[in-house]
Structure formats: C-alpha cells, structure tokens
Amino acid sequence: MINLFENITPKQKAKLLRILEANTLYFKKNCQVLTSVKWDNIIGIVLDGYMQITRTDYNGNRTILEELEENSVFGTTISSLKNTEHEIITKEDTKIVVIEYNSIINEERNKYPYYTQFIKNLLEIVTEKINEKNQRIEILTKKSIRDKLLEYFKIISKKNGSKIIYLTLNYSELADYLAVDRSAMSRELKNLKDEGFIKKDGKKITLLY
C-alpha cells in the first residue's frame, strides 16, 4: 500500500499535520478505539501499530472487516464505523492521527506543494481500498470454505508476487475474516494440504498449484 506521506519530507509532514489541525492519539494493545474518538467526518492514519475493524452481529458472530497496519488510512467515508455493531480493536500498541474531513477540503492549502502531494496520495489510497473491498466481496461470494480459502490465498499471493504466504492473521482471525466456522476451516486446510494444494507450516502457506 502506498504511504500517505510518500514524497513528503519529515519536515513537510510536520507542517502538514499542523495546518490540518491533526490530533495524535496513543492506544495500548486490546483497546477499543471508537469509544475514545468522535467519529464524525474524519480520516484516521495509523502512524505505528496494528488494528482491526470488526463487526459483531446480534448472534455474537464476529467478522474481521479490515486490517489496519502502519500507514493504513480509515475513516467514516471509507470504512464502516457509524454502525453500532462495528468497533476498532488495537492488536498491539498503536499511534494514530485523526484529521477532520473539513480540514482536508480547503482550497487555501493548495498553495503548498506537499499538500497537493498529500491529496494525490490520499486519492490513490482510497482507490486501493476500493479495490481491496471488491476483492473481499469476491472472497465472500464464494460458496464453499475451500473456494474462499483458495481465493484469499490467490489474492495475497498476487499482491506479494510469491507463492509463499505469511499470514498476518492467526487461524481464528482468518476464520472470522472469511466468515466461516473455525473447525470447518481447519478441516478444509488439512484437506488442501493432504491433496497437495498447499504446504502449511504454522502461519506460512506455500501454494503448490
């Protein structure tokens, strides 16, 4: 994923965050971020750490909607945050920056070259996130657990340019991400291994097809 501050120097970055009136927030591991921030027309940037956007329905079923790593961008316009079923959980100590949307859409700031670069980077990231959501839809529309796993592996392999995949999710989280039963997914992974589709070593998956 492109860095939101690509081609912007550290000094320009500091000036940019200042003119955008950005707020920097720090969270410990396993904190709920949504309870600490007013989520009305904002864009958030993960400066350091790792978070997940999750959804828990009325039956208590949890789905991981999005992974947010360093330099990830999220917000009310590009992520599902306003629904009471959604929450953001930090998976490690995390630092984020929150910027009000109205602060970004301000023509007076176009005189700064680094601001123009920032907007260009932001648009590229939003486009990339749309592509990722389309890929997620492609995964979830697969009818079988096997097809969901193979589609997920294909997407990650293509993104990394390698048939060796290192999962960022543990297997319980992967089941939540694919919206499938954990035990049934484990059985299907074993079947894929036994049938020669994959090699599995912990969170390392090697595609053999």
Side-chain angles (χ1 to χ4, degrees), residues 141-174:
T141 53
K142 301 298 181 185
K143 295 188 181 298
S144 70
I145 295 175
R146 169 175 292 216
D147 287 344
K148 287 183 179 183
L149 283 166
L150 292 177
E151 184 67 22
Y152 176 75
F153 293 155
K154 183 183 79 173
I155 289 170
I156 300 301
S157 173
K158 185 176 179 180
K159 181 179 178 181
N160 296 338
S162 172
K163 289 204 168 188
I164 298 176
I165 297 168
Y166 294 91
L167 299 175
T168 58
L169 301 169
N170 62 42
Y171 285 101
S172 292
E173 291 173 333
L174 180 58

Side-chain angles (χ1 to χ4, degrees), residues 145-150 152-153 165 167 169-175 178 180-209:
I145 295 175
R146 169 175 292 216
D147 287 344
K148 287 183 179 183
L149 283 166
L150 292 177
Y152 176 75
F153 293 155
I165 297 168
L167 299 175
L169 301 169
N170 62 42
Y171 285 101
S172 292
E173 291 173 333
L174 180 58
L178 299 178
V180 300
D181 178 75
R182 167 74 167 86
S183 298
M185 188 192 75
S186 295
R187 288 194 297 272
E188 195 56 65
L189 282 168
K190 183 178 184 303
N191 291 338
L192 288 171
K193 180 181 178 182
D194 292 344
E195 295 172 26
F197 283 89
I198 64 171
K199 283 175 62 178
K200 187 165 77 76
D201 181 15
K203 294 171 72 173
K204 178 184 176 183
I205 303 288
T206 302
L207 307 184
L208 302 176
Y209 57 93

Side-chain angles (χ1 to χ4, degrees), residues 1-4 73 121-129:
M1 178 176 284
I2 186 173
N3 185 339
L4 184 59
V73 175
N121 294 342
L122 181 59
L123 290 173
E124 289 187 24
I125 288 172
V126 170
T127 300
E128 188 171 337
K129 290 184 80 68

